[in-house]
Amino acid sequence: MIILFFRLLLTTGIAFLVGKLVSKLKLPSILGWLIAGMFLGPHALSLMNQTLLDAQWYQTMNHILECGVGLMIGTELVWDKIKESGKAIVITTLTQSLGTFLIVSLVFSIVFYKANIPIYLAFIFGGIALATAPAPALSIVREFNTKGPVTEALIPMAALDDIVGCIVFFTTIAIVAGNLSAGDLPAYMITLIVILPLLIGIVTGLLAGLVLKKERSKSSTLILLIAMIIVASSVGFIFNILILPRPVLNFMLIGMAFSATFSNMVSKKRLVQIMHSFSPILSISMIVVILNLGAPLDYHLILGAGLFTVIYIIARAAGKYFGAYFGASITKCPETVKKYLGLTLLPHSGVSLVFTGIAVSVLATPAPKCSKIVQGTIAAAAVINEIIAVITAKKGFQWAGELSNTKSESK
């Protein structure tokens, strides 16, 4: 364990340096972290090897850090800030999420029909495609201190998008599993996968709000906040490991609900103090969480990517962009939101790989050929899409004029 922990520290340090180098090229640091994870992961140099990724202590730590990263979103979900645009955010979330599901499902229904592949696989692709990984875009928000209508729309949408994504994906996979008689995915899990993380976050967030409401020193505030994050994560572990039939809880969603709850219980001034004290730990958490997204990605898949991968990336991008454009248009959002919000929604890898793992396990026995198609296509897409998506997301903020240090840059 000591050697593995040293490997993790070394990997994190290298990723930090690579991120700094990438930022010198006026690209987001997260791109450096992703690339570092991919090339230091088990498919390349293996400094961050499979033994480390599979270690229980590492997975536990990573879930706690995911919960902590959720504070980036949850602390922005203050009712006074979102009530004016709440309806527009909900509608746009639905149009871009469901629009992506419908477009990807429709495109692959045609492709798979022509290729004599079962059509139900198209809907699994659609269910995986609608999910957005919030961490990459939010890392850009944090690094470049973006401010404006696109940023204000993206942050609450990141939380809502996870909820919609879980509902659609688990409903789809349950229907497919039932028809294939896989039988190992209980129907009640569809509800639990969405409701349970929110309930855990809200209940522990209420407790955190009571504890954190009173002003304290920076060190005391930080200790109390870390303790409450561990409490929230621990409750998640109890359900994830001991109660649910398989580990599927989204710990970032727990963190979102947890922080959104206490953020609405404390004063604005106190919330700024809380997040200021947590900022250094949040920065480290972001690097480790992004490394964990990059490490499983096999760079060899870029060369081996097939036609399905290309179609998947293009269809998903079209669904996200035009779905967001349509939703922003009918809710009369600012012009920059209509044009550029969709570009910030393209990052995908973390959530997509979780969903892919579940889909592969459901299909492995009754439909092994389909299982391999899902695994190969999404894995290759995760590598290629994530590199493109991070650059595109930054461009979206830049073109919207919301990068604090590049507002005057030309398009």
Side-chain angles (χ1 to χ4, degrees), residues 22-256:
V22 168
S23 68
K24 297 292 185 184
L25 303 175
K26 294 188 176 180
L27 292 171
S29 297
I30 183 178
L31 185 59
W33 304 341
L34 275 169
I35 293 171
M38 189 162 44
F39 284 98
L40 296 175
H43 298 289
L45 300 178
S46 202
L47 179 60
M48 195 174 189
N49 58 22
Q50 196 62 48
T51 304
L52 171 58
L53 295 178
D54 292 339
Q56 187 62 51
W57 66 266
Y58 170 78
Q59 294 181 16
T60 299
M61 181 199 71
N62 198 66
H63 283 320
I64 294 172
L65 295 180
E66 286 174 354
C67 191
V69 169
L71 270 66
M72 282 184 66
I73 302 171
T75 51
E76 296 292 335
L77 299 180
V78 177
W79 177 244
D80 289 339
K81 292 173 65 175
I82 65 172
K83 61 183 177 183
E84 293 181 1
S85 59
K87 181 180 178 182
I89 295 299
V90 171
I91 291 174
T92 307
T93 299
L94 291 174
T95 57
Q96 59 89 5
S97 291
L98 299 181
T100 302
F101 172 73
L102 292 173
I103 288 176
V104 173
S105 298
L106 176 61
V107 167
F108 275 99
S109 291
I110 297 170
V111 171
F112 288 156
Y113 176 77
K114 295 289 186 181
N116 199 28
I117 294 171
I119 300 297
Y120 67 76
L121 202 59
F123 294 95
I124 292 179
F125 272 38
I128 295 172
L130 67 84
T132 300
L138 293 173
S139 174
I140 297 171
V141 169
R142 178 178 170 80
E143 179 179 352
F144 293 95
N145 194 28
T146 66
K147 287 183 174 66
V150 174
T151 302
E152 291 170 4
L154 173 68
I155 290 173
M157 189 173 292
L160 295 173
D161 192 77
D162 264 6
I163 297 172
V164 176
C166 286
I167 292 172
V168 174
F169 173 76
F170 281 97
T171 300
T172 302
I173 203 72
I175 293 171
V176 170
N179 289 335
L180 291 175
S181 299
D184 65 344
L185 194 73
Y188 69 84
M189 192 183 292
I190 300 169
T191 303
L192 280 180
I193 198 67
V194 179
I195 301 298
L196 194 53
L198 296 177
L199 289 177
I200 293 170
I202 290 170
V203 172
T204 54
L206 287 170
L207 180 59
L210 295 174
V211 172
L212 294 169
K213 188 178 292 186
K214 181 182 176 182
E215 290 197 23
R216 292 179 171 85
S217 67
K218 183 177 179 179
S219 58
S220 297
T221 297
L222 181 58
I223 291 170
L224 286 172
L225 180 58
I226 292 174
M228 293 311 303
I229 290 172
I230 292 173
V231 169
S233 303
S234 298
V235 176
F237 291 134
I238 291 171
F239 280 93
N240 212 33
I241 299 171
L242 301 179
I243 297 176
L244 296 178
R246 64 175 68 176
V248 290
L249 287 189
N250 186 323
F251 280 78
M252 195 173 292
L253 198 55
I254 292 175
M256 292 176 198

